[in-house]
């Protein structure tokens, strides 16, 4: 798990009249949406800003570049083992509106057993990282806590991205990564996790992926990666394994 993904609405007070139909949400407020991925320390790994507030998180995902590197084959290669099953590819924690893709792990809407309730509790707890990040951003920068006053969407995008960059600088400066862990250890066995930044060729240099040309000769790898990313079977199988894994690691300590 490399982070949690969610969206935040920034109210746009001075939205141009001609755009108010697109940017108005069901409450009648005009807003612009920020999609972000944040880790446990609230570091923002991905930010996509500018989608009209009338759209939901799923519509934002359809326009977001969050998985562009995955489809191009540029993303880090990750393998890990859960409940004696080996998986490849990192994933984000997400709420219920996101699809059942390989790249997401969602909670269980109506958990029935103790194992499912334990998993839902941990998933929903860790997923709060991105929501804490939104709260910290608004607490630090009053300009995005209140309604946006400017008329130009590009200016608003620059303001939002500047605040996120400054937030990451603060996190990097203040967070002590060398301090002893005072919370519960991560339930994932990091000894079974291997991360490779880029495949290395015989000359010692990173291997470059094959170019995607319009003649279709190199489109098949991207299509295969797209289909693999949207596999609901892997999503459900990994969720079952995570339920068992978490129960074995922490289930007996829930009370």
């Amino acid at each position: 798990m490399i982070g949690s993904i969610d969206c935040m609405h920034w109210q746009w007070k001075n939205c141009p009249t001609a755009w108010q139909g697109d940017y108005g949400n069901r409450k009648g407020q005009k807003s612009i949406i920020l999609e972000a991925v944040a880790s446990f320390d609230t570091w923002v790994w991905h930010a996509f800003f500018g989608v009209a507030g009338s759209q939901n998180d799923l519509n934002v995902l359809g326009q977001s570049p969050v998985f562009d590197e995955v489809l191009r084959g540029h993303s880090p290669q990750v393998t890990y083992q859960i409940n004696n099953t080996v998986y490849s590819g990192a994933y984000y924690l997400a709420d219920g509106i996101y699809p059942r893709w390989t790249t997401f792990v969602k909670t269980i809407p109506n958990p029935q057993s103790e194992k499912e309730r334990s998993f839902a509790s941990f998933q929903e707890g860790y997923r709060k990282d991105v929501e804490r990040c939104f709260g910290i951003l608004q607490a630090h920068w009053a300009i995005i806590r209140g309604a946006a006053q400017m008329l130009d969407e590009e200016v608003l995008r620059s303001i939002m991205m500047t605040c996120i960059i400054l937030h990451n600088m603060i996190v990097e400066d203040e967070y002590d990564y060398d301090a002893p862990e005072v919370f519960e250890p991560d339930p994932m066995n990091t000894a079974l996790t291997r991360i490779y930044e880029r495949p290395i060729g015989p000359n010692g240099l990173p291997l470059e992926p094959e170019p995607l040309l319009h003649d279709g000769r190199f489109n098949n790898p991207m299509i295969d990666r797209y289909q693999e990313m949207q596999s609901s079977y892997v999503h459900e199988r990994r969720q079952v394994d995570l339920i068992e894994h978490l129960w074995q690691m922490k289930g007996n300590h829930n009370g």
Side-chain angles (χ1 to χ4, degrees), residues 70-73 210-229:
V70 176
L71 296 177
R72 294 191 183 107
E210 296 178 333
L212 299 177
L213 305 178
H214 291 293
D215 61 4
R217 291 189 303 115
F218 298 106
N219 285 344
N220 288 336
M222 185 179 71
I223 294 174
D224 292 340
R225 285 190 289 267
Y226 186 78
Q227 292 175 342
E228 181 181 357
M229 185 183 73

Side-chain angles (χ1 to χ4, degrees), residues 12-23 30 151:
W12 193 1
K13 180 178 180 181
N14 291 330
C15 176
T17 303
W19 296 356
Q20 291 191 6
D22 290 336
Y23 286 82
K30 314 304 180 291
L151 297 172

Side-chain angles (χ1 to χ4, degrees), residues 17-148:
T17 303
W19 296 356
Q20 291 191 6
D22 290 336
Y23 286 82
N25 58 25
R26 63 180 180 274
K27 298 180 181 178
Q29 297 176 339
K30 314 304 180 291
S31 62
I32 307 178
I33 300 175
L34 166 69
E35 177 192 73
V37 172
S39 55
F40 70 96
D41 55 358
T42 72
W43 177 281
V44 179
W45 293 93
H46 158 80
F48 174 58
F49 179 79
V51 179
S54 60
Q55 304 187 48
N56 59 27
D57 295 2
L58 196 57
N59 302 137
V60 177
L61 178 65
Q63 306 171 55
S64 170
V66 63
F67 295 128
D68 284 1
E69 296 302 306
V70 176
L71 296 177
R72 294 191 183 107
H74 293 180
S75 61
Q77 302 300 306
V78 182
T79 59
Y80 49 93
Q81 182 172 321
I82 307 174
N83 198 31
N84 297 322
T85 303
V86 177
Y87 293 91
S88 62
Y91 60 86
Y92 303 124
L93 299 183
D95 59 19
I97 194 174
Y98 285 89
R100 299 200 310 270
W101 287 0
T102 306
T103 46
F104 297 124
V105 166
K106 307 198 299 178
T107 188
I108 300 175
N110 299 299
Q112 302 297 320
S113 65
E114 286 295 327
K115 291 181 180 180
E116 291 180 349
R117 284 193 286 270
S118 174
F119 171 79
S121 176
F122 279 109
Q123 196 276 352
E124 293 166 9
Y126 283 114
R127 197 182 62 80
K128 299 297 183 183
D129 293 337
V130 65
E131 297 181 11
R132 287 195 303 114
C133 177
F134 291 150
I136 293 171
L137 279 172
Q138 293 175 330
H140 277 167
W141 320 113
I143 193 170
I144 62 175
R145 182 168 64 245

Side-chain angles (χ1 to χ4, degrees), residues 210-251:
E210 296 178 333
L212 299 177
L213 305 178
H214 291 293
D215 61 4
R217 291 189 303 115
F218 298 106
N219 285 344
N220 288 336
M222 185 179 71
I223 294 174
D224 292 340
R225 285 190 289 267
Y226 186 78
Q227 292 175 342
E228 181 181 357
M229 185 183 73
Q230 293 190 332
S231 172
S232 60
Y233 171 79
V234 175
H235 171 90
E236 295 169 1
R237 180 68 257 176
R238 183 174 54 201
Q239 186 180 66
V240 170
D241 285 333
L242 282 171
I243 291 172
E244 292 295 331
H245 178 79
L246 282 172
W247 183 253
Q248 294 173 12
M249 296 290 294
K250 295 189 175 184

Side-chain angles (χ1 to χ4, degrees), residues 119-177:
F119 171 79
S121 176
F122 279 109
Q123 196 276 352
E124 293 166 9
Y126 283 114
R127 197 182 62 80
K128 299 297 183 183
D129 293 337
V130 65
E131 297 181 11
R132 287 195 303 114
C133 177
F134 291 150
I136 293 171
L137 279 172
Q138 293 175 330
H140 277 167
W141 320 113
I143 193 170
I144 62 175
R145 182 168 64 245
Q149 304 289 333
M150 281 64 69
L151 297 172
D152 191 342
E153 185 180 355
E154 287 300 321
V155 174
L156 298 179
R157 180 179 289 106
S158 297
I159 292 172
M160 179 62 73
M161 292 305 170
T162 299
C163 291
I164 290 174
I165 292 171
L166 291 173
H167 166 79
N168 280 354
M169 292 173 65
I170 293 173
V171 171
E172 184 179 23
D173 181 65
E174 295 184 351
Y175 194 90
D176 187 2
Y177 293 95

